[in-house]
Amino acid sequence: MEIASKYDPSSVEGKWYQYWLENNFFHSEPDDREPYTIVIPPPNVTGVLHMGHMLNNTIQDILIRRARMLGKNACWVPGTDHASIATEAKVVAKLALEGIKKNDLTRDQFLKHAWEWTHKHGGIILEQLKKLGASCDWARTSFTMDEIRSESVINVFVDLYNKGLIYRGVRMVNWDPALKTALSDEEVIYREQQGKLYYLRYQIVGEDGYAVVATTRPETILGDTAVCIHPADPKNAHLKGKKVIVPIAGREIPIIEDEYVDIEFGTGCLKITPAHDVNDYMLGEKYNLPSIDIFNDDGTLNKYGLQYEGKDRFEVREEIEADLTKAGLMEKVEAYENKVGFSERTHVPVEPKLSMQWFLKMEHLARPALDAVMDDTIRFFPAKFRNTYRHWMENIKAWCISRQLWWGHRIPAWYLPEGGWVVARTADEALALACEKTGNPHLQLSDLRQDEDCLDTWFSSWLWPISVFNGINEPHNREIEYYYPTNDLVTAPEIIFFWVARMIMSGYEYREQPCFRNVYFTGIVRDKLGRKMSKSLGNSPDPVELMNKYGADGVRMGMLLASPAGNDLPFDESLCEQGRHFNNKIWNAFRLVKGWTVDDRLPQPEAAAIAIQWFQGRLDSVLADMDDSFEKYRLSEAMMAVYKLFWDEFAAWYLELVKPGYEQPMDARTYQASLRFFDALLRLLHPFMPFITEELWQALMPRAVGESVMVAPAPSPSAPRNAATDACLQAFERVKEVIGNIRTVRLQKNLPNKDALVLEVIGNTHDSRFDAVIVKMACLSEIRPVAEKSAGAVSFLVGTTEYAVPLGHIINVHEEIARTEAEINYLEGFLVSVMKKLGNEKFVANARPEIVENERRKQADAESKIKTLQEGRNQLIRNL
């Protein structure tokens, strides 16, 4: 293969991705190898790639490619989520633009539109993942509403219902007035809001006095059914046993007593609205209070809202404030900050609402799932999320699994004509059960009515690691027995409750095993200001545009440069630029190596032989470090290890050490070793940067059709790590320091690199094994052991060994003295200006401490340089 002068990702990426697909490298079937399985966190079917997806899927691809190269049967299952709330909202919005209201359509008509939308927009994100290089087994692509997954969901619902874990009842739920559906607790986001605290007067029945009640929601007084005081509150003791009148409504309600009331909040009087507050609902149950629901499903007031009927809740809040003030029933209004729950999807404030819903009991399911994480059967990376998980699992509540939506898995419950219901997998099974339950064999399917609601989206995705292998419907099939439990889950910590915890529960309920062994929590991708990247803020770059600009490998590397597990990623586009530079470094190094000519007759230079021995040791050391990093899921550290190995060791040292003279050939042994090292480095880099490594691996030496770096074995150490190898590597680091000091002397004295120098070694602690390396890299004529350094030599220490570079025969002493004195004069003038500032009391007193400290550092640096230069000048004068 002919290698271009510059790396062009656009000419490489599509070509090799197609090659991988054509050779079926991503596909997996059960065999006798050790399986390695990842299931993708299914993105929304109508979604597009964002920076969080980029990070998450880059990490998954690194893990799956590495497993493949380690000889495991790697299977990465892709798929998408039907996303009930998000997709239905998009379809409703699309229909609205066409002048169609959802309520004007039948369920089947609406679902036809939803499926059309899904087929048109679904799958875009999967195609974008291919551009990233994601090596998913695309033949296994699943969808949470495809036939197998839908059947799995229904089977699980029926099973859990028959086990007594699913029940139907009226409970207080989180209600989204925009979507007109219930939400689970995890779908509610609480935010601090600046609001008001209203002090309302409730007249005491039969008296002229008032009970003053503080509330943040005056519109809900129309649903009040009691006022509660603390039994030990002296300031409200006069209210015991009395009744008060609800303002505006004019209804009499009792004063009740309960220790739940916070004496210090407001006036110590608490209005009880059982239909619209979770805590009030519990008090209502305790004291058998009536419940008055004043809201319609869309957040407007119903007939119990009296003259405010039909108006929005927030509009009524303003009106009722004015009306209460006008009626003399408003004691005062204060500014108040409190937490308000918002719908995660629609961003509108949720309403606590009594509603008939389906629930899943969680205590039984949570027990083994909690134990699995606490005893490290399932490991969290980073481990700090174990405490978050434990707290939620120990305080788990029933899961509201029904949603008042049409797009999703319809609840398999059918209502009977005389009351009650049956739960079944199919309509025919439901009819048979209905006939049996009612004792009426003449019932027809038309006599039954299926529940209109659908299931929470998470009720399908919690089965994902099992259902993608059809393990619910066919629990003993070959694939589920082979691929399950899966190995690693890569996900975001914000869905630890929505998804991770529930998957673990379903795994133990339906397989009696963990669904995965390890969970890697990624951080949140943030901008340079620390803000979460989002469309609404306009601070999130388009990942596809980034890949077009920097190449997929450049972006992958950029994402990993600042993404330690569980910590937020402060993303900057310059990271992708750094990734592109690394691509170019690899490309140019490859062109250098492949540009060498080989002469089989040449002996191997001593410096090259040392370089090969040293670099093999460095490579073996980095392989061990990377294995340790992968074991601890420190992927950024693993990538940085190979990045530094290539850039700082291979390119900066090894290639320079073995490089032949200008237009000179190379010996065959060194050339073959260099190709072998390059091959190992490309294999080591491949999981991180799949495209450029495939391009160069194919060009490194002749390959057969169907060969690929992605299925080549991962590099392994040439020998076990030992003390001798470590000592050799440490000695070479000292050699680098010697060479670095000689280069510094050249720089300070303006000596050309082509001019050979002599290096003197004072004493007998120098390790002469690497002399050939020092001679080549520092351009020396010889290394000479001496008892004393030459007059006029510049000396330096490396460890306890003193080295010197004689300069008397190279430099003009008079010119060097003059140059040194000029530099001393400049620094002395600079020091005067610094001391003038520091001698100014006003400057020292008023300037920021860090500015004053910086000036003091300048003083110390200048004084140190002047001292060194004066010593050097004096030495030169003595040598005249």
Side-chain angles (χ1 to χ4, degrees), residues 115-282:
W115 277 111
E116 285 175 358
W117 176 269
T118 299
H119 292 318
K120 181 178 179 181
H121 297 279
I124 291 175
I125 192 167
L126 299 185
E127 291 303 310
Q128 292 174 325
L129 286 177
K130 292 177 182 178
K131 186 171 178 64
L132 179 66
S135 55
C136 300
D137 186 348
W138 298 110
R140 295 182 177 277
T141 303
S142 301
F143 176 47
T144 50
M145 274 182 64
D146 65 25
E147 188 175 343
I148 290 175
R149 265 48 66 180
S150 294
E151 185 181 347
S152 301
V153 168
I154 299 305
N155 283 340
V156 165
F157 184 97
V158 173
D159 176 66
L160 293 174
Y161 178 80
N162 290 336
K163 289 174 178 174
L165 295 176
I166 287 179
Y167 63 94
R168 183 173 183 259
V170 176
R171 297 289 186 277
M172 181 69 69
V173 298
N174 305 295
W175 188 262
D176 182 333
L179 281 175
K180 302 178 191 174
T181 182
L183 304 174
S184 69
D185 290 344
E186 291 72 40
E187 291 168 302
V188 179
I189 307 299
Y190 287 90
R191 301 177 192 152
E192 293 286 350
Q193 296 287 301
Q194 287 293 337
K196 297 178 181 179
L197 188 61
Y198 304 85
Y199 289 78
L200 314 182
R201 294 172 176 166
Y202 288 60
Q203 185 171 358
I204 302 169
V205 173
E207 299 181 18
D208 292 334
Y210 295 92
V212 178
V213 175
T215 179
T216 58
R217 306 189 62 201
E219 69 278 10
T220 61
I221 63 172
L222 304 174
D224 288 357
T225 54
V227 167
C228 190
I229 60 172
H230 194 288
D233 182 3
K235 65 180 181 295
N236 286 312
H238 66 287
L239 295 174
K240 290 183 178 183
K242 297 181 180 178
K243 292 186 176 183
V244 292
I245 299 171
V246 178
I248 295 179
R251 283 184 291 104
E252 291 186 9
I253 56 174
I255 299 287
I256 62 173
E257 300 172 48
D258 196 277
E259 293 180 350
Y260 167 76
V261 176
D262 180 359
I263 296 174
E264 302 302 319
F265 177 78
T267 62
C269 291
L270 179 70
K271 63 190 282 303
I272 306 300
T273 318
H276 299 297
D277 183 273
V278 174
N279 297 311
D280 291 6
Y281 172 71
M282 290 188 290

Side-chain angles (χ1 to χ4, degrees), residues 744-745 747-750 793-794 807 811 813 815-831 860-878:
T744 300
V745 171
L747 191 65
Q748 290 175 341
K749 304 303 180 184
N750 291 321
V794 176
L807 297 177
I811 62 172
V813 176
E815 288 181 0
E816 184 64 16
I817 290 171
R819 187 192 67 78
T820 304
E821 288 182 337
E823 194 168 348
I824 290 171
N825 291 337
Y826 167 77
L827 286 169
E828 285 176 340
F830 174 75
L831 184 59
D861 289 345
E863 289 172 344
S864 174
K865 287 177 181 177
I866 289 169
K867 183 180 178 183
T868 302
L869 288 167
Q870 286 173 339
E871 288 174 354
R873 178 198 60 189
N874 295 340
Q875 181 68 42
L876 287 168
I877 292 170
R878 284 194 295 270

Side-chain angles (χ1 to χ4, degrees), residues 19-20 25 686 694 697-698 703-704 706-713:
Y19 176 80
W20 296 330
F25 290 140
H686 176 73
E694 185 72 79
W697 189 85
Q698 294 284 350
R703 308 290 186 189
E707 280 193 281
S708 171
V709 67
M710 74 176 292
V711 290

Side-chain angles (χ1 to χ4, degrees), residues 451-476:
D451 196 304
E452 289 290 324
D453 293 348
C454 75
L455 287 161
D456 179 8
T457 297
W458 299 102
F459 195 84
S460 53
S461 52
W462 80 316
L463 307 174
W464 190 246
I466 307 173
S467 66
V468 294
F469 299 113
N470 201 18
I472 297 293
N473 307 324
E474 298 177 15
H476 302 293

Side-chain angles (χ1 to χ4, degrees), residues 488-676:
D488 296 322
L489 176 74
V490 181
T491 189
E494 56 259 40
I495 56 173
I496 190 171
F497 310 130
F498 284 120
W499 195 43
V500 178
R502 289 167 178 167
M503 280 192 291
I504 296 172
M505 291 185 225
S506 73
Y508 279 100
E509 181 67 16
Y510 287 101
R511 302 294 303 172
E512 297 183 350
Q513 286 179 290
C515 48
F516 28 71
R517 301 294 185 189
N518 306 290
V519 183
Y520 178 104
F521 290 107
T522 63
I524 296 170
V525 184
R526 298 187 181 277
D527 65 14
K528 288 185 284 188
L529 300 176
R531 301 173 302 173
K532 183 177 179 180
M533 285 189 169
S534 67
K535 288 181 186 176
S536 58
L537 287 175
N539 63 344
S540 180
D542 182 338
V544 175
E545 288 181 8
L546 284 178
M547 288 189 283
N548 288 337
K549 185 175 181 181
Y550 299 105
D553 288 337
V555 178
R556 286 167 68 114
M557 185 182 167
M559 298 298 293
L560 276 176
L561 279 170
S563 59
N567 293 329
D568 291 351
L569 186 153
F571 182 79
D572 189 326
E573 200 167 317
S574 63
L575 297 172
C576 298
E577 181 71 38
Q578 188 176 341
R580 181 167 65 182
H581 287 330
F582 188 44
N583 274 302
N584 292 335
K585 186 73 174 180
I586 298 168
W587 191 263
N588 291 333
F590 184 85
R591 292 184 69 240
L592 173 69
V593 172
K594 292 296 282 185
W596 290 333
T597 56
V598 179
D599 187 339
D600 294 338
R601 298 165 300 176
L602 288 177
Q604 185 178 52
E606 184 184 358
I610 294 170
I612 291 167
Q613 181 188 7
W614 161 73
F615 190 74
Q616 185 65 63
R618 283 295 298 129
L619 177 60
D620 289 351
S621 176
V622 168
L623 286 170
D625 291 343
M626 289 183 69
D627 285 344
D628 182 63
S629 293
F630 271 106
E631 175 62 29
K632 296 170 180 172
Y633 291 82
R634 294 174 177 168
L635 272 63
S636 292
E637 291 180 21
M639 191 209 67
M640 283 307 298
V642 67
Y643 172 87
K644 290 177 179 177
L645 177 67
F646 192 98
W647 195 300
D648 298 342
E649 309 286 13
F650 184 71
W653 286 97
Y654 175 81
L655 292 182
E656 291 301 314
L657 269 168
V658 303
K659 184 169 67 175
Y662 180 65
E663 293 188 345
Q664 297 297 307
M666 172 179 277
D667 70 282
R669 287 181 65 187
T670 302
Y671 185 67
Q672 289 303 317
S674 300
L675 292 183
R676 188 174 70 249

Side-chain angles (χ1 to χ4, degrees), residues 197-395:
L197 188 61
Y198 304 85
Y199 289 78
L200 314 182
R201 294 172 176 166
Y202 288 60
Q203 185 171 358
I204 302 169
V205 173
E207 299 181 18
D208 292 334
Y210 295 92
V212 178
V213 175
T215 179
T216 58
R217 306 189 62 201
E219 69 278 10
T220 61
I221 63 172
L222 304 174
D224 288 357
T225 54
V227 167
C228 190
I229 60 172
H230 194 288
D233 182 3
K235 65 180 181 295
N236 286 312
H238 66 287
L239 295 174
K240 290 183 178 183
K242 297 181 180 178
K243 292 186 176 183
V244 292
I245 299 171
V246 178
I248 295 179
R251 283 184 291 104
E252 291 186 9
I253 56 174
I255 299 287
I256 62 173
E257 300 172 48
D258 196 277
E259 293 180 350
Y260 167 76
V261 176
D262 180 359
I263 296 174
E264 302 302 319
F265 177 78
T267 62
C269 291
L270 179 70
K271 63 190 282 303
I272 306 300
T273 318
H276 299 297
D277 183 273
V278 174
N279 297 311
D280 291 6
Y281 172 71
M282 290 188 290
L283 287 170
E285 291 277 287
K286 184 175 180 179
Y287 294 101
N288 199 26
L289 298 173
S291 184
I292 303 173
D293 186 347
I294 65 168
F295 290 123
N296 294 313
D297 288 349
D298 62 357
T300 59
L301 272 69
N302 59 25
K303 64 181 181 180
Y304 295 108
L306 306 178
Q307 65 263 39
Y308 308 105
E309 182 179 0
K311 294 181 179 180
D312 181 76
R313 53 190 169 150
F314 296 113
E315 181 185 350
V316 173
R317 182 175 298 178
E318 293 182 6
E319 288 189 13
I320 212 165
E321 178 184 0
D323 292 346
L324 287 167
T325 302
K326 188 176 180 181
L329 298 175
M330 182 72 74
E331 180 90 1
K332 61 178 177 176
V333 179
E334 295 177 345
Y336 186 70
E337 186 178 275
N338 66 328
K339 283 189 174 181
V340 177
F342 286 80
S343 166
E344 183 196 36
R345 288 291 179 187
T346 61
H347 309 293
V348 301
V350 298
E351 271 301 331
K353 181 178 173 68
L354 281 176
S355 179
M356 179 69 77
Q357 302 289 340
W358 292 88
F359 296 88
L360 172 59
K361 297 175 183 176
M362 302 297 281
E363 292 85 353
H364 158 78
L365 298 169
R367 214 166 295 121
L370 174 59
D371 293 342
V373 172
M374 291 300 104
D375 66 16
D376 277 342
T377 300
I378 296 173
R379 297 188 300 165
F380 281 5
F381 296 91
K384 66 182 182 181
F385 289 109
R386 292 167 83 244
N387 289 332
T388 308
Y389 178 87
R390 187 190 70 231
H391 177 75
W392 186 73
M393 295 292 274
E394 288 177 345
N395 296 280

